[in-house]
Amino acid sequence: MPVYNAPIKDMQFLLHDVLNVTASSVPGYDELDADFTNAILEEAGKIAGEVLQPLNTVGDTEGCTLENGVVRTPTGFKAAFEQMKDGGWTGLDMPEQYGGQNMPYVMGTAVGEMFSGANQAFVMYQGLTHGAASAILAHGTDQQKDTYLPKMVACDWTGTMNLTEPHCGTDLGLMRTKAEPQENGSYKISGQKIFISAGEHDMADNIIHLVLAKIPGGPDGIKGVSLFIVPKFMVNDDGSLGARNGVSVGNIEKKMGIHGNSTCVMNYDEATGYLLGDLHKGMRAMFTMMNEARLGVGMQGVSQAEAAYQNAVIYAKDRLQGRDVTGVKNPDGPADPLIVHPDIRRSLMDQKSFTEGGRAFLLWGASMIDAAHRSADKDADGLVSLLTPVIKGFLTDEGYDMTVRAQQVYGGHGYIEEHGMSQFTRDARIAQIYEGANGVQALDLVGRKLAVDGGKHVMAFFELVKTFCKDNGDISEQFSADFITPLKAASKDLQAAGMYFMQNGMKNPNNALAGSYDFMHMFGHVCLGLMWAQMGKAALGALDSGASDAAFYETKLTTGRYYMARRLPATTMHLARITSGADTVMALQADQF
Amino acid sequence: MPVYNAPIKDMQFLLHDVLNVTASSVPGYDELDADFTNAILEEAGKIAGEVLQPLNTVGDTEGCTLENGVVRTPTGFKAAFEQMKDGGWTGLDMPEQYGGQNMPYVMGTAVGEMFSGANQAFVMYQGLTHGAASAILAHGTDQQKDTYLPKMVACDWTGTMNLTEPHCGTDLGLMRTKAEPQENGSYKISGQKIFISAGEHDMADNIIHLVLAKIPGGPDGIKGVSLFIVPKFMVNDDGSLGARNGVSVGNIEKKMGIHGNSTCVMNYDEATGYLLGDLHKGMRAMFTMMNEARLGVGMQGVSQAEAAYQNAVIYAKDRLQGRDVTGVKNPDGPADPLIVHPDIRRSLMDQKSFTEGGRAFLLWGASMIDAAHRSADKDADGLVSLLTPVIKGFLTDEGYDMTVRAQQVYGGHGYIEEHGMSQFTRDARIAQIYEGANGVQALDLVGRKLAVDGGKHVMAFFELVKTFCKDNGDISEQFSADFITPLKAASKDLQAAGMYFMQNGMKNPNNALAGSYDFMHMFGHVCLGLMWAQMGKAALGALDSGASDAAFYETKLTTGRYYMARRLPATTMHLARITSGADTVMALQADQF
């Protein structure tokens, strides 16, 4: 059985030594002193390790079952969900007005990583609810907020997001689900939605579906899409539940992973729905929360990599196989532990340097979302919007690859389900796909985000890197060689790629788009390089000031040096791929494939 | 339901335009004229597409079941196995003396790729039998050969390889299974073996287990390991089956993939065994066939990538989503097919250029194995031994990644099991692990193979590349720019890495071993670069001589240009990783992970 230990110390390091949250002017950050955040993280870590993680294998093995229109979640899920609710974990970063605790999103992200690392399939029930509640919070009328939010913040009612239809995924303009206006101001929703996570289950009294649909006669394509609230049970004026609405689960999908989450085909048959936000502005309403939702998925990449890594380390220390070529390390045993072998180290260091760098990137991103939402900081909003596809695409691709590396440490034992390493890869795989497949993230980055506000935000990013390098070039020769020089080189590669797009994308947009995926990955490496440089600086600072836990900070520095030396050089490869242009990518006719 | 179309044309191109098999002096190659090989490949392709492929999903869904010591294979497997046997496919490259068809291994490899691409789990029953029969062929007494080989070549009896035990995988010196000598010259085998593919099933009258075990009092560790033949049913002198032997299946593993193959825990309880080969030389006997066995696993990487790619192409042409940014391509439809989008192309071209390059690498490798076995060509043997870990490690890593890319083309539909794309990734995953996990392949390459015969074989490889570049530098400026220049650059990177190992590995072997995995991948890219340069040359030659199917050769050239431009630059990244040395890899103490 795999284990999960919440990375509390690492999160504390990021919040206080790196992000220095209490020094921030963002409202609410002043309350995040080290004792407070430690208390929160400790408690969340207990829930993660003691309540959620033991159910991870159960969820994978049992899966969800559908019988007579009722979806049953795996054994123990319902009781654990109650514990989450009782502890107030479902509304951590929601407004107090609706029963939440009003903490910054950065805390929600840290806690979310733990819960997701312990049991991704389980925590999605709450995650989807959070997303739906956020949309109602941003776009609902006061009456809608009062009706739904207290229940959703408490997770007495859960929520869903209904976008995809059998023939339309990314291209939502093809949508067929209809919303017929009624005389009383409500709508009758009819159509089929697929891949609806938590669409039906047995853990809540009601399920509040947010459904994209088109009103007949409205504008064509994406411009005619509106968003509707469709409750499973109608809600009476006094808040009690009324009749069953015309929405039902048609099927649950057999999936590669996240078996504990019910992925439903939802059938809407003249279901009563209520417009959420403006008519025909459904996409805008749905995507208000996009940065958060996508950061949440990027977090899943890191969380699964972390969980898989922890178990790979345990196995590498425990499993005796072969001898250290530089000299026996375990003379009393029949062999040395796997961890003596350089290639096992290479794999573990790839994993460790990614998860810690990725976590820093996530919390930095979350802090920018807080600045955007709580301080109306437009620059933070612009920068995090630019980086969102990188956070989602890069962190989930890399996160998946790291779970595969962790599984590989187990050899044959990683391939059998018993050890749980396969589940980490199978669960992590979905994060590359949903909430906009990673190819779409790359398109969003290169085709849209780079040019926003005349390229202002990407310039701000480069300026950030440049300023860091300039301000910290005199820390020490060692620091410059280990961190500053590689960061500068990688950033230069990224700029060169951007320049290539500018110079060649105008005459043929495919020259940019054919390099979009590589650009997203380059960008991710530069971001993690920046994170590691910042963490390296913070670690040096702590060591200089005589921090008690020197080993922790030394480990940080070494891990950072690894990332800079061994991962950042990927930017040169991506640059070469990009600057080879679109010709070889686009040359074949469709029938030549 | 996924499809599988045997890549007959591509195989014919490789056999005749590239490898030019009939011009080879290797015995048996003169018979491989284009009509003959085409007839074989056509027939094999039918079996693959019509018999094996339709059972692939069945095997995944049903899996194997164990009840009262009996393992049942999925519905239809037994009938399909009979068809394979009736068609003589099980002994294609086995000696006529034992009922085989004595074809070169290169043909066995081409046919094997088809069968494996159609149904990897199924064809393993025959593949293991082939491996066990090859060991008996190489090391058995005449009596052993006469007793077992006719039945095994026909697959009336199947075979297994028993190496792994719960506590010992790669490090076979830790083995505990015992073989007690008996007065009649046989042995009593006792112990437990795990991960035994096809260890027990219902498709053969008998199962011939090859079992590694230690004779008490023999040398310690790996030097005391011997190989034994342990039949499930004792074989009487007249060849009829006698009593059940003391071997039984203890359990079958629940695995991530290859569900159709029974992966067994085998318990040996004083089972009667017969020494195969020399006493205490079990490893040597087992590994005589290593090059073939590992090439066979490399082939699985390519075969799964090919199968997944074919289905990704179909989906990319069929699925309408979004519009070509350079202009609408499907004006009568609601959207353009996925294949218009540059990032989908990037993914498909990665897949296509890998599978075709990988297939060339496999058939080249197989032709060297033929030269080694049939012509006692020591240079060929040395070169293919050097390249074997590259074939196994690189082709299975890349093969797996390509199945993931193919799955990604399907978006959410790739994650649900219905479309079969998840199965390709789950099945392909095992090839990175078994027959020596890929980290062990990298160790074999850098820690052993590079230095064999004073580095003679790696020098021969570089000479081969150099000679090709020199001999073909004047084909055209275009050819030089597209193929020769990138190949030279990549080969130079590889040489620089080898030089780094020589200069730094002596003072600290970890400097070499920490870069072994990257070196294996670099080497793989240079090999595929060489293959593409050779294929490009052959395609140009065919076009110049007015070949009828110009589109096929044009496609080859374009695909090759893609590989050279977009994949080969990976060597620079690997070189940078390698030359950063072992320090950051090895710096942490075990408790710092």
Side-chain angles (χ1 to χ4, degrees), chain A residues 450 491-504 515 518-519 522 571 574-575 578-579:
Chain A
L450 280 185
S491 179
K492 200 176 146 196
D493 283 345
L494 186 65
Q495 280 179 284
M499 192 61 72
Y500 176 85
F501 290 160
M502 284 209 286
Q503 288 169 346
N504 298 277
D518 285 282
F519 190 78
M522 284 182 92
T571 58
H574 291 302
L575 180 60
I578 288 168
T579 55

Side-chain angles (χ1 to χ4, degrees), chain A residues 425-438:
Chain A
T425 75
R426 291 184 290 97
D427 286 359
R429 183 70 184 91
I430 189 58
Q432 299 173 281
I433 297 171
Y434 59 20
E435 197 57 41
N438 286 354

Side-chain angles (χ1 to χ4, degrees), chain B residues 120-441:
Chain B
Q120 179 177 334
F122 174 89
V123 83
M124 285 172 66
Y125 291 96
Q126 185 250 317
L128 270 297
T129 309
H130 188 279
S134 297
I136 293 174
L137 189 63
H139 300 286
T141 63
D142 285 346
Q143 196 206 345
Q144 287 172 334
K145 290 183 197 174
D146 291 342
T147 303
Y148 300 107
L149 289 183
K151 292 289 192 181
M152 293 176 79
V153 167
C155 272
D156 291 335
W157 300 350
T158 61
T160 72
M161 304 292 233
N162 291 242
L163 291 82
T164 305
E165 299 180 8
H167 63 289
C168 89
T170 300
D171 190 351
L172 289 167
L174 303 176
M175 187 171 297
R176 290 182 195 149
T177 298
K178 272 189 305 200
E180 300 270 4
Q182 306 298 301
E183 289 192 359
N184 67 356
S186 71
Y187 294 79
K188 290 285 180 207
I189 314 289
S190 297
Q192 189 177 66
K193 295 287 182 177
I194 63 168
F195 302 157
I196 309 308
S197 300
E200 179 59 58
H201 60 86
D202 57 359
M203 302 200 296
D205 299 331
N206 202 2
I207 300 177
I208 310 306
H209 303 288
L210 297 196
V211 184
L212 286 177
K214 283 178 151 179
I215 295 162
D220 279 346
I222 201 77
K223 288 175 183 160
V225 168
S226 304
L227 184 59
F228 299 90
I229 299 174
V230 184
K232 173 180 169 186
F233 289 101
M234 303 303 292
V235 181
N236 298 321
D237 290 345
D238 65 355
S240 65
L241 296 184
R244 182 74 190 249
N245 201 354
V247 47
S248 60
V249 52
N251 201 2
I252 54 175
E253 307 285 1
K254 286 199 195 323
K255 309 184 299 293
M256 185 178 182
I258 52 166
H259 295 162
N261 199 275
S262 60
T263 304
C264 300
V265 175
M266 298 304 297
N267 294 319
Y268 293 87
D269 184 14
E270 300 203 339
T272 299
Y274 308 99
L275 185 68
L276 176 61
D278 296 333
L279 200 66
H280 305 319
K281 304 289 186 202
M283 293 306 296
R284 205 162 69 182
M286 193 60 115
F287 284 151
T288 311
M289 298 298 126
M290 190 166 62
N291 289 348
E292 280 181 49
R294 292 184 169 176
L295 188 139
V297 176
M299 181 189 76
Q300 294 177 338
V302 173
S303 73
Q304 293 307 300
E306 169 70 33
Y309 164 73
Q310 289 184 13
N311 289 283
V313 168
I314 291 169
Y315 193 79
K317 289 180 186 175
D318 187 56
R319 174 85 169 174
L320 305 180
Q321 209 80 180
R323 290 294 188 186
D324 187 335
V325 292
T326 63
V328 170
K329 289 292 183 296
N330 178 32
D332 298 335
D336 289 340
L338 289 183
I339 204 164
V340 305
H341 301 302
D343 189 60
I344 294 288
R345 293 256 175 173
R346 186 264 319 159
S347 170
L348 293 176
M349 290 302 294
D350 277 353
Q351 295 169 53
K352 182 176 173 61
S353 64
F354 165 73
T355 55
E356 294 178 16
R359 179 174 299 122
F361 193 17
L362 285 171
L363 294 186
W364 178 43
S367 73
M368 286 191 280
I369 287 176
D370 278 326
H373 288 180
R374 294 180 166 234
S375 304
D377 181 336
K378 281 195 192 307
D379 290 339
D381 189 49
L383 185 53
V384 78
S385 296
L386 168 74
L387 295 178
T388 291
V390 183
I391 291 172
K392 197 280 183 182
F394 178 73
L395 294 184
T396 61
D397 277 356
E398 287 279 308
Y400 176 71
D401 282 351
M402 295 307 154
T403 63
V404 173
R405 280 175 175 72
Q407 183 189 25
Q408 188 75 12
V409 170
Y410 277 66
H413 296 273
Y415 196 66
I416 62 174
E417 296 291 351
E418 187 184 335
H419 292 280
M421 301 307 286
S422 159
Q423 188 188 350
F424 292 130
T425 75
R426 290 184 292 97
D427 287 358
R429 183 70 184 90
I430 188 58
Q432 300 174 281
I433 297 171
Y434 61 19
E435 197 57 40
N438 285 355
V440 176
Q441 302 296 329

